[in-house]
């Protein structure tokens, strides 16, 4: 794998609230909470959507043995991505009633947060950028995201570095 360079202060805003940046987890939480406050000032201290859960909207994603639960409606916000589209169905295991991906666990936490935060993608300092870029590519977050993460990434069929 090629070594990709991502600047330390890389912050990009592109297509519908998508940003790529490096920031500590506490900042991520504060940004997400502020978005919720902006959307619903009456519930400024609460996490809207978290109080009532429609069981039919929940799904389980197993990433190399680590299980995550989220809402289908959360994933469907990005319908052109792997998890937001019907493409995810080929990874469904009916015997366990979950989606199974043999992928990098630590990267997936950030990938899932992309959906939960309406498009905030934050590269944790602990992740290898090459691995993270491969995961972004696998989950089909989009060429525009790849270009923001690593400008030298070509949009060829293989998605490899040019």
């Amino acid at each position: 794998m090629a070594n990709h360079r991502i600047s330390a202060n890389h912050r990009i805003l592109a297509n519908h609230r998508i940003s790529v940046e490096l920031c500590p987890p506490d900042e991520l939480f504060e940004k997400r909470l502020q978005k919720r406050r902006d959307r619903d000032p009456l519930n400024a201290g609460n996490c809207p959507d978290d109080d009532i859960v429609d069981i039919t909207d929940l799904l389980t994603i197993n990433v190399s043995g680590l299980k995550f639960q989220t809402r289908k409606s959360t994933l469907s916000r990005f319908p052109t991505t792997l998890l937001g589209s019907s493409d995810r169905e080929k990874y469904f295991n009916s015997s366990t009633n979950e989606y199974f991906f043999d992928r990098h666990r630590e990267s997936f936490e950030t990938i899932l947060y992309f959906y939960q935060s309406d498009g905030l993608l934050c590269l944790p300092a602990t992740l290898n950028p090459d691995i993270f870029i491969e995961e972004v590519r696998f989950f089909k977050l989009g060429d525009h995201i790849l270009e923001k993460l690593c400008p030298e990434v070509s949009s060829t069929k293989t998605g490899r570095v040019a």
Side-chain angles (χ1 to χ4, degrees):
M1 259 184 223
N3 193 10
H4 303 292
R5 280 190 231 141
I6 300 174
S7 67
N9 61 352
H10 197 149
R11 180 184 168 101
I12 299 157
L13 293 174
N15 304 339
H16 65 289
R17 292 181 288 194
I18 294 174
S19 65
V20 178
E21 60 188 273
L22 295 171
C23 52
D26 290 344
E27 286 181 40
L28 280 175
F29 177 77
E30 285 302 318
K31 286 181 183 187
R32 187 171 182 205
L33 192 57
Q34 186 58 48
K35 274 186 181 183
R36 287 181 172 180
R37 286 181 186 134
D38 293 346
R39 276 191 245 149
D40 189 359
L42 295 175
N43 290 314
N46 300 330
C47 291
D49 305 335
D50 290 346
D51 297 332
I52 301 172
V53 176
D54 176 4
I55 195 83
T56 62
D57 192 36
L58 289 178
L59 57 82
T60 302
I61 301 170
N62 180 337
V63 181
S64 297
L66 185 60
K67 295 183 183 186
F68 299 85
Q69 280 197 316
T70 192
R71 295 180 173 96
K72 293 174 190 171
S73 56
T74 299
L75 300 178
S76 67
R77 293 178 195 158
F78 297 93
T80 60
T81 64
L82 174 61
L83 295 176
S85 69
S86 60
D87 292 348
R88 73 175 176 246
E89 294 307 317
K90 66 182 171 184
Y91 298 94
F92 187 72
N93 181 337
S94 58
S95 65
T96 59
N97 199 30
E98 63 190 21
Y99 295 87
F100 179 79
F101 296 93
D102 189 12
R103 306 299 302 182
H104 190 254
R105 292 176 179 186
E106 290 177 50
S107 293
F108 188 74
E109 289 180 13
T110 302
I111 300 290
L112 182 57
Y113 187 76
F114 171 83
Y115 293 91
Q116 295 168 335
S117 66
D118 291 325
L120 178 66
L121 187 64
C122 191
L123 173 63
T126 59
L127 287 183
N128 177 320
D130 292 331
I131 292 171
F132 186 69
I133 287 169
E134 285 301 315
E135 295 305 297
V136 167
R137 186 177 288 122
F138 176 81
F139 286 103
K140 301 178 184 176
L141 297 189
D143 288 340
H144 60 291
I145 296 287
L146 286 170
E147 290 167 9
K148 304 297 183 195
L149 282 171
C150 182
E152 68 266 17
V153 173
S154 70
S155 58
T156 62
K157 213 173 194 182
T158 62
R160 297 285 177 199
V161 175

